[in-house]
Amino acid sequence: MIAYIREILYGLKGRNRYKHYKELLVMQRLPQEELRQRQFWLLSTLLAHAYNTVPFYKKRLDALGLHPDDIRSFKDFAQLPVISRQDTQEHLTEMISGAVLENMRYLNFSGGTTGEPIRFYQDLRLRESMEASWLLCLSFAGWKPSDMIISIWGNPRDSMSTAVKQGLRPWLAGQLVVNAYRYSKEEFKSWLAAIASYRRVYLYGYASVIADLAEYMLDANRKAPSVQGVLTTAERLHEAQRETIARAFNCRVHDQYGSREVPAVSMECAHGNMHLLTHSAYAEFLPLTETARAHVLDSGGDKDDEPRRIVLTSLTNRAMPLIRYEVGDYGMPMDGACPCGRGFPLMRMSIGRLGGSLVTPDGKRLYSTFFVRQMYGMEGVSAFQFRQKSPVHVQLHVVRGLRFHDGTARKLAELQERFGRDLCPGMQLNVRYVEDVPRTPGGKHRHVVCEVEP
């Protein structure tokens, strides 16, 4: 009954996310070839729109002697130039479509994983399509429209109040958003109280924040039996975090890949496979640059299993089209079909984002995964951050949780000792215990911060 009421209420407001969601439930079972054909049609339509209404793309294509009619395959599409985050900021006004009225677009900001968030516009008319894709992602984890979604979100632009505002309105909407930009044990208690007030709950939010909540639950021996599934997003989900969250909530953890600029790129199903959502975004996997390849190998990557640069095209934003947009993430396409029966093609995230890295004295870079691995098994560490202050000095900021013990302190002392001897010759590590590790302006947690130019 509540699912029907929610659909009616959204429909009365002219918001048709549930209608789109039902269409997506059917579409996801189509054969992969048909999904690819539909995707190319969306790409072609978007490109024609961009060429005719966005000065930035018309100039770029004209300079190359290309016209949208020349793009007749995915291979042809790969001739188009790749755009960068810098392009979006330097040419912001040129990248806005003249066909989308000002009152039909809205300004948004990235989460700022690599530093200062970037600005971009999104299409208000297609917002419900984006929301439907989000609901489809939730359904991968078992969510149904009668279930409650609690979004543990960390961006102060979304909600400045830290109070948990329960009541009839969130229940009717099917979603409660809590502001996780700043939180403590008291906030954790209020979140768990909110979770306990609903019969079936799906958690959605930043991997690091949900992992912190899970650590608190394990420390305080708290349970959340109403949670049926957890979806992490916006940050790379590390295996240690996945294990902690699964243990605390006693349910499966699903990872979603996307960004504010290009949402709902891929979603993990119950079989552990990441499915590319062909109706929402087009993902390309390009060879690494020589510099990036060196970073991967320096960070312990396997040259025989080399990741690719992920380049994305959003299919749900006509206000400011992002066509072949390099997000700074790394992954690999996968062949084959998934036992879940969905027709979406597969991918896997490899090392994630290369933006978080430290510089060695000889100018090489070590990616953040290399350092995160060193922290596996450090029980009772609720947060940490490697921060490079000079070419040879690195500080490891550690926040101690309730389960922190002498054994963890010894492991950290051993890490400090062998850092310059075995891991990063010529560099020194200094472990510092702190009360908090600052987040980015968008609320994300960065495991590695480099203040040194290579």
Side-chain angles (χ1 to χ4, degrees):
M1 176 62 74
I2 183 57
Y4 180 72
I5 293 173
R6 286 169 180 166
E7 183 174 354
I8 292 296
L9 289 175
Y10 275 101
L12 289 174
K13 296 179 181 178
R15 300 167 69 177
N16 51 10
R17 64 185 63 182
Y18 284 101
K19 175 178 177 291
H20 289 319
Y21 165 66
K22 290 178 180 178
E23 294 169 350
L24 295 178
L25 285 178
V26 176
M27 186 208 68
Q28 68 177 340
R29 302 294 175 178
L30 293 175
Q32 187 173 129
E33 183 57 36
E34 184 172 346
L35 290 174
R36 284 293 199 190
Q37 291 174 1
R38 288 171 173 240
Q39 184 179 52
F40 185 72
W41 180 83
L42 291 171
L43 279 176
S44 300
T45 304
L46 178 69
L47 183 60
H49 164 79
Y51 183 80
N52 292 323
T53 70
V54 182
F56 176 83
Y57 289 108
K58 180 169 175 55
K59 288 179 184 177
R60 290 238 168 165
L61 266 66
D62 285 348
L64 294 171
L66 290 175
H67 187 273
D69 292 343
D70 300 326
I71 309 303
R72 301 178 181 178
S73 66
F74 289 114
K75 184 177 180 181
D76 292 340
F77 189 78
Q79 299 178 57
L80 302 176
V82 173
I83 65 171
S84 66
R85 289 169 174 260
Q86 185 175 351
D87 287 328
T88 65
Q89 300 312 282
E90 292 181 353
H91 303 280
L92 181 65
T93 57
E94 292 179 78
M95 294 185 72
I96 298 172
S97 170
V100 178
L101 298 177
E102 186 174 353
N103 65 345
M104 296 308 295
R105 65 176 188 254
Y106 60 99
L107 183 64
N108 207 337
F109 299 82
S110 72
T113 304
T114 56
E116 186 65 23
I118 68 166
R119 300 168 297 154
F120 61 98
Y121 286 91
Q122 285 182 305
D123 196 329
L124 194 59
R125 296 173 301 178
L126 295 177
R127 188 167 185 170
E128 292 302 298
S129 296
M130 289 190 289
E131 292 290 342
S133 293
W134 179 57
L135 296 180
L136 181 68
C137 289
L138 285 159
S139 75
F140 277 45
W143 170 88
K144 295 179 176 59
S146 58
D147 297 331
M148 192 68 185
I149 306 163
I150 295 186
S151 296
I152 300 177
W153 210 237
N155 196 321
R157 297 185 182 90
D158 295 331
S159 171
M160 290 303 294
S161 174
T162 57
V164 179
K165 298 180 179 179
Q166 290 179 258
L168 183 61
R169 179 173 293 183
W171 182 73
L172 289 174
Q175 182 184 8
L176 174 67
V177 180
V178 299
N179 182 12
Y181 185 59
R182 292 184 179 88
Y183 55 87
S184 65
K185 293 175 185 176
E186 291 307 310
E187 276 72 36
F188 286 156
K189 292 176 184 177
S190 67
W191 298 355
L192 291 173
I195 291 170
S197 67
Y198 301 103
R199 187 173 65 86
R200 285 175 55 89
V201 172
Y202 284 82
L203 293 186
Y204 175 86
Y206 286 156
S208 62
V209 179
I210 297 180
D212 286 349
L213 174 60
E215 285 279 3
Y216 165 77
M217 292 171 62
L218 294 172
D219 291 342
N221 195 27
R222 298 287 299 271
K223 307 292 183 183
S226 63
V227 174
Q228 307 299 306
V230 177
L231 284 78
T232 58
T233 189
E235 302 169 325
R236 176 133 192 255
L237 175 66
H238 297 283
E239 283 308 307
Q241 292 174 321
R242 184 191 292 270
E243 292 169 7
T244 298
I245 296 169
R247 189 152 49 97
F249 290 101
N250 193 32
C251 67
R252 186 178 181 88
V253 182
H254 297 256
D255 197 22
Q256 182 200 36
Y257 172 56
S259 66
R260 290 217 169 209
E261 306 99 296
V262 188
V265 175
S266 65
M267 178 64 197
E268 181 183 353
C269 74
H271 293 270
N273 289 322
M274 294 289 288
H275 292 257
L276 288 162
L277 306 182
T278 53
H279 65 281
S280 178
Y282 173 53
E284 299 173 78
F285 300 86
L286 306 187
L288 295 181
T289 64
E290 288 303 318
T291 300
R293 181 176 292 107
H295 294 176
V296 172
L297 297 180
D298 287 343
S299 302
D302 186 349
K303 65 180 180 181
D304 295 324
D305 191 23
E306 184 175 282
R308 302 293 185 94
R309 298 152 48 211
I310 298 177
V311 172
L312 299 173
T313 299
S314 173
L315 300 175
T316 56
N317 187 6
R318 297 169 71 87
M320 182 177 166
L322 294 175
I323 298 175
R324 305 202 79 210
Y325 174 61
E326 184 153 10
V327 288
D329 292 330
Y330 293 74
M332 297 180 68
M334 292 179 62
D335 294 328
C338 180
C340 76
R342 295 178 176 88
F344 295 129
L346 306 176
M347 68 164 288
R348 67 179 174 89
M349 295 300 292
S350 184
I351 58 173
R353 184 177 295 275
L354 285 185
S357 57
L358 300 187
V359 183
T360 63
D362 58 359
K364 295 181 179 179
R365 284 191 178 272
L366 295 174
Y367 173 60
S368 62
T369 295
F370 175 78
F371 299 98
V372 172
R373 288 191 192 118
Q374 314 309 318
M375 299 300 292
Y376 287 175
M378 298 286 186
E379 189 174 22
V381 173
S382 62
F384 67 89
Q385 185 178 82
F386 288 87
R387 197 169 196 99
Q388 186 171 17
K389 311 293 287 186
S390 77
V392 296
H393 292 96
V394 177
Q395 291 180 352
L396 171 56
H397 293 180
V398 174
V399 179
R400 289 173 285 197
L402 293 177
R403 293 188 298 144
F404 189 90
H405 51 77
D406 291 343
T408 304
R410 285 194 296 271
K411 286 183 179 180
L412 288 168
E414 291 169 2
L415 174 61
Q416 178 172 288
E417 180 183 349
R418 63 189 176 87
F419 188 86
R421 185 188 66 212
D422 303 324
L423 300 176
C424 302
M427 301 178 73
Q428 296 179 4
L429 179 70
N430 178 34
V431 176
R432 292 182 58 194
Y433 295 104
V434 297
E435 293 297 319
D436 188 28
V437 173
R439 293 179 176 270
T440 70
K444 294 186 180 181
H445 177 74
R446 297 171 69 189
H447 287 117
V448 171
V449 175
C450 181
E451 300 177 4
V452 177
E453 290 296 327

